Amino acid sequence: MFLADDLGIADLGVYGNRFHETPNIDRLASQGMKFTQAYAACPVCSPTRISIMTGKYPARTGVTSFIPGNQNFPHAPMKAVTNKLAMDPAEVTIAEALKTAGYATACIGKWHLGGDESDAPRQGFDLYATRGSRNKDGSFTGGPNLEGAPGEYMTDRFAKTAVKFVRDNKDKPLFLYLPFHNPHIPLVGRPDYVAKYEAKLRSMSVKPGDALNSWPGAAQNHPVYAAMIQSVDDAVGAVLQELDRHGLTNDTLVAFFSDNGGLTVPEWQCQIPTSNGPYREGKGHLYEGGVREPLLVRWPGVVQPGSECGTPVTSTDFFPTFAAAAGVQGAGNPTDGVNLMPLLQGGATVNRDAIFWHYPHYANQLGVPAGAIRQGDWKLIEFFADGKLELYNVAADPGERNNLAASMPERTTALHARLKAWRADVGAQMPQPNPDFDPKQPWDGLRWYSQCSAG
């Protein structure tokens, strides 16, 4: 499984991008299935990652924001809930489940689910290779099992380590989890690729504002961001080539996904790296731009090449799907996900009533505490501070511009009741009114935009 970090659905060529170059990732779509309504379980990273590892909704695990989380909003209207600082060591991960069937397992890249008892080696991974720290030039100091040459670009080293894992374990079942740091901020690309995209931008007619976005000047035309994505594509290509080299391609399920939507605010270096248009907003928000992700799955002989699936799926589904693909029965804890094998084999539906989100935090990207439910084509968002409800038909209105809550009160009430019942079932923590709320002081989440607006 390849997992990009902060990659938006509009960032890949196969999803319509015309600036970034992702031939290896795009090839997964031509050789497998492209999902058009795949969702992350949260609009920020750690909760989505725990949903992948455990098959559980983040609200059930207590990890509902990135680890360690952001509590620097003393004057915000709501007092955010306390975020767990690590995954509970008692959780059974997909790696632990697959090891029961004899799988060699590796996590190469960004774990971000806590250390010590919750770290990857304690959660079923034979090999855990991660950076020590990333330098401003994109190189890194070596972390566990990951030593690179001086100045070597971090994503390139991840790729070489992953290729070696495949080669070393070619004669046994293997599970490779490759969670990249790219294209998460800080924006640092390989210098040769940055120069390439700077030249490409000069040769094109792309101008700021060409892509739909709620922030002025946002489009997929950032040379450094494009360079970071190409490095991810290179790594994907290197692993796929190694599978080919050892005759493993037909026996291997390959999935590519992202942990949340692309960043669409000037959170770092006063730059907006991408746009999720036509979807609204991005990372940190429960609108579609924050949670709708690229998902590509290839498995020759099982998944029809060039197929497309419009059934809504979510990141809790990876655990039961991978377990089913590996023939592991009754693996791990009960999950909130569903087995996607019927879809991968050409079926039209899976047995699911609704998809849920719970994000009781303020985000650096200006997102606010909220929850959401999608049932069929309908999506309801509840904003916790003022109780506002927004209802959208995301099939007819994917940009979520036409709030139908007032005009469709019965549907709004029914979905809201279903959302509240789900929160009770999973034990979701709710934020409370902040006694220190001061409307005269902007809450700290506005600092990035304010600073950048001031130049």
Side-chain angles (χ1 to χ4, degrees), residues 224-409:
V224 180
Y225 188 77
M228 295 176 77
I229 291 174
Q230 180 163 345
S231 290
V232 170
D233 188 76
D234 286 350
V236 170
V239 173
L240 297 182
Q241 186 176 38
E242 192 68 11
L243 293 175
D244 289 342
R245 184 176 292 115
H246 300 294
L248 301 176
T249 298
N250 289 343
D251 297 323
T252 305
L253 185 156
V254 176
F256 182 94
F257 192 62
S258 179
D259 61 352
N260 50 250
L263 180 65
T264 57
V265 300
E267 187 184 354
W268 189 271
Q269 301 164 314
C270 293
Q271 300 175 15
I272 303 171
T274 192
S275 163
N276 299 302
Y279 305 112
R280 186 172 175 178
E281 298 295 352
K283 179 181 180 179
H285 297 260
L286 288 181
Y287 292 112
E288 293 290 284
V291 292
R292 191 182 289 212
E293 311 302 330
L295 172 58
L296 305 169
V297 180
R298 185 189 79 175
W299 191 0
V302 177
V303 179
Q304 181 69 28
S307 56
E308 186 171 297
C309 181
T311 300
V313 300
T314 187
S315 51
T316 60
D317 300 337
F318 288 114
F319 187 117
T321 303
F322 292 169
V328 178
Q329 303 296 324
N333 303 315
T335 72
D336 294 307
V338 301
N339 175 13
L340 301 182
M341 286 303 300
L343 293 179
L344 296 177
Q345 294 169 326
T349 61
V350 290
N351 184 25
R352 189 201 326 265
D353 173 56
I355 294 173
F356 302 91
W357 293 267
H358 185 64
Y359 185 58
H361 304 274
Y362 288 92
N364 287 335
Q365 303 81 24
L366 308 187
V368 297
I373 175 175
R374 174 159 178 184
Q375 190 174 54
D377 291 338
W378 297 95
K379 181 179 173 185
L380 180 87
I381 305 176
E382 176 187 4
F383 295 92
F384 297 148
D386 58 7
K388 182 181 179 183
L389 300 175
E390 296 183 3
L391 176 68
Y392 301 100
N393 184 317
V394 289
D397 179 24
E400 295 168 296
R401 303 298 176 184
N402 184 21
N403 179 11
L404 301 172
S407 61
M408 302 186 72

Side-chain angles (χ1 to χ4, degrees), residues 124-296:
F125 287 98
D126 302 320
L127 172 65
Y128 177 39
T130 186
R131 72 176 194 195
S133 61
R134 179 164 58 177
N135 304 317
K136 290 183 178 180
D137 63 356
S139 63
F140 62 95
T141 56
N145 303 307
L146 192 73
E147 295 295 336
E152 184 176 21
Y153 193 69
M154 182 175 59
T155 309
D156 293 345
R157 172 49 51 181
F158 287 163
K160 293 173 184 176
T161 307
V163 165
K164 184 177 184 302
F165 172 76
V166 172
R167 183 168 61 248
D168 290 348
N169 294 279
K170 65 182 185 299
D171 297 323
K172 65 179 73 170
L174 61 87
F175 172 52
L176 170 61
Y177 175 52
L178 187 47
F180 301 101
H181 289 73
N182 283 16
H184 193 288
I185 58 173
L187 301 180
V188 181
R190 271 180 40 175
D192 54 337
Y193 284 172
V194 173
K196 166 188 170 179
Y197 284 101
E198 287 175 341
K200 183 175 182 178
L201 185 61
R202 289 193 295 270
S203 71
M204 296 176 66
S205 60
V206 177
K207 298 180 179 62
D210 280 359
L212 297 175
N213 196 273
S214 58
W215 290 90
Q220 287 98 359
N221 61 2
H222 196 297
V224 180
Y225 188 77
M228 295 176 77
I229 291 174
Q230 180 163 345
S231 290
V232 170
D233 188 76
D234 286 350
V236 170
V239 173
L240 297 182
Q241 186 176 38
E242 192 68 11
L243 293 175
D244 289 342
R245 184 176 292 115
H246 300 294
L248 301 176
T249 298
N250 289 343
D251 297 323
T252 305
L253 185 156
V254 176
F256 182 94
F257 192 62
S258 179
D259 61 352
N260 50 250
L263 180 65
T264 57
V265 300
E267 187 184 354
W268 189 271
Q269 301 164 314
C270 293
Q271 300 175 15
I272 303 171
T274 192
S275 163
N276 299 302
Y279 305 112
R280 186 172 175 178
E281 298 295 352
K283 179 181 180 179
H285 297 260
L286 288 181
Y287 292 112
E288 293 290 284
V291 292
R292 191 182 289 212
E293 311 302 330
L295 172 58
L296 305 169

